[in-house]
Short mmCIF file of all heavy atoms in Angstrom, two decimals:
data_model
loop_
_atom_site.label_atom_id
_atom_site.label_comp_id
_atom_site.label_asym_id
_atom_site.label_seq_id
_atom_site.Cartn_x
_atom_site.Cartn_y
_atom_site.Cartn_z
N GLY A 14 -12.90 15.11 -21.32
CA GLY A 14 -12.96 16.04 -20.15
C GLY A 14 -11.58 16.35 -19.62
O GLY A 14 -10.71 15.43 -19.50
N TYR A 15 -11.29 17.57 -19.17
CA TYR A 15 -10.06 17.97 -18.65
C TYR A 15 -10.31 18.58 -17.28
O TYR A 15 -11.15 19.39 -17.05
CB TYR A 15 -9.33 19.06 -19.60
CG TYR A 15 -9.07 18.52 -20.88
CD1 TYR A 15 -9.93 18.69 -22.00
CD2 TYR A 15 -7.77 18.03 -21.23
CE1 TYR A 15 -9.63 18.15 -23.21
CE2 TYR A 15 -7.53 17.58 -22.48
CZ TYR A 15 -8.40 17.67 -23.46
OH TYR A 15 -8.14 17.20 -24.76
N GLU A 16 -9.28 18.31 -16.39
CA GLU A 16 -9.23 18.98 -15.04
C GLU A 16 -7.86 19.56 -14.97
O GLU A 16 -6.84 19.02 -15.44
CB GLU A 16 -9.52 17.94 -13.96
CG GLU A 16 -10.88 17.42 -13.94
CD GLU A 16 -11.12 16.39 -12.81
OE1 GLU A 16 -10.42 16.43 -11.80
OE2 GLU A 16 -12.04 15.52 -12.96
N TYR A 17 -7.86 20.79 -14.22
CA TYR A 17 -6.61 21.62 -14.09
C TYR A 17 -6.40 21.88 -12.50
O TYR A 17 -7.39 22.06 -11.85
CB TYR A 17 -6.70 22.83 -14.84
CG TYR A 17 -6.95 22.72 -16.31
CD1 TYR A 17 -8.26 22.59 -16.86
CD2 TYR A 17 -5.87 22.62 -17.18
CE1 TYR A 17 -8.56 22.46 -18.20
CE2 TYR A 17 -6.07 22.47 -18.54
CZ TYR A 17 -7.38 22.38 -19.07
OH TYR A 17 -7.61 22.12 -20.39
N ASP A 18 -5.15 22.09 -12.24
CA ASP A 18 -4.87 22.59 -10.83
C ASP A 18 -4.85 24.12 -10.89
O ASP A 18 -5.02 24.75 -11.91
CB ASP A 18 -3.67 21.95 -10.26
CG ASP A 18 -2.36 22.26 -11.00
OD1 ASP A 18 -2.40 23.24 -11.82
OD2 ASP A 18 -1.27 21.69 -10.68
N PHE A 19 -4.49 24.73 -9.75
CA PHE A 19 -4.55 26.19 -9.61
C PHE A 19 -3.45 26.83 -10.48
O PHE A 19 -3.44 27.99 -10.78
CB PHE A 19 -4.30 26.58 -8.21
CG PHE A 19 -3.02 26.09 -7.59
CD1 PHE A 19 -1.88 27.02 -7.62
CD2 PHE A 19 -2.83 24.91 -7.11
CE1 PHE A 19 -0.78 26.65 -7.10
CE2 PHE A 19 -1.66 24.52 -6.48
CZ PHE A 19 -0.56 25.38 -6.58
N SER A 20 -2.39 26.08 -10.90
CA SER A 20 -1.30 26.65 -11.74
C SER A 20 -1.61 26.46 -13.22
O SER A 20 -0.77 26.99 -14.01
CB SER A 20 0.01 25.88 -11.42
OG SER A 20 0.39 26.09 -10.07
N GLY A 21 -2.72 25.83 -13.62
CA GLY A 21 -3.04 25.55 -14.96
C GLY A 21 -2.54 24.32 -15.55
O GLY A 21 -2.66 24.04 -16.72
N ASN A 22 -1.92 23.47 -14.68
CA ASN A 22 -1.40 22.18 -15.15
C ASN A 22 -2.60 21.25 -15.32
O ASN A 22 -3.53 21.15 -14.46
CB ASN A 22 -0.45 21.56 -14.15
CG ASN A 22 0.75 22.32 -14.03
OD1 ASN A 22 1.34 22.84 -14.93
ND2 ASN A 22 1.35 22.42 -12.75
N VAL A 23 -2.60 20.44 -16.34
CA VAL A 23 -3.59 19.40 -16.53
C VAL A 23 -3.37 18.32 -15.50
O VAL A 23 -2.24 17.78 -15.34
CB VAL A 23 -3.59 18.74 -17.96
CG1 VAL A 23 -4.50 17.67 -18.13
CG2 VAL A 23 -3.82 19.85 -19.00
N THR A 24 -4.44 17.97 -14.70
CA THR A 24 -4.26 16.89 -13.63
C THR A 24 -4.99 15.63 -14.09
O THR A 24 -4.63 14.55 -13.58
CB THR A 24 -4.78 17.39 -12.32
OG1 THR A 24 -6.14 17.83 -12.42
CG2 THR A 24 -3.93 18.56 -11.83
N LYS A 25 -6.00 15.72 -14.94
CA LYS A 25 -6.77 14.55 -15.35
C LYS A 25 -7.36 14.86 -16.69
O LYS A 25 -7.96 15.91 -17.03
CB LYS A 25 -7.79 14.42 -14.35
CG LYS A 25 -8.65 13.04 -14.50
CD LYS A 25 -9.57 12.90 -13.29
CE LYS A 25 -10.21 11.55 -13.34
NZ LYS A 25 -11.20 11.48 -12.18
N VAL A 26 -7.28 13.81 -17.54
CA VAL A 26 -8.00 13.83 -18.88
C VAL A 26 -8.77 12.55 -18.89
O VAL A 26 -8.21 11.38 -18.65
CB VAL A 26 -6.94 13.75 -20.06
CG1 VAL A 26 -7.67 13.80 -21.37
CG2 VAL A 26 -6.03 14.95 -19.96
N TYR A 42 2.19 16.51 -10.06
CA TYR A 42 3.23 17.47 -10.14
C TYR A 42 3.86 17.65 -8.88
O TYR A 42 3.25 17.52 -7.78
CB TYR A 42 2.72 18.76 -10.75
CG TYR A 42 2.04 18.64 -12.11
CD1 TYR A 42 0.78 18.24 -12.21
CD2 TYR A 42 2.78 18.86 -13.25
CE1 TYR A 42 0.10 18.21 -13.43
CE2 TYR A 42 2.22 18.71 -14.48
CZ TYR A 42 0.91 18.35 -14.60
OH TYR A 42 0.33 18.21 -15.81
#
Side-chain angles (χ1 to χ4, degrees):
Y15 297 89
E16 293 180 21
Y17 302 88
D18 66 10
F19 64 93
S20 298
N22 294 323
V23 175
T24 57
K25 189 175 185 179
V26 179
Y42 299 87

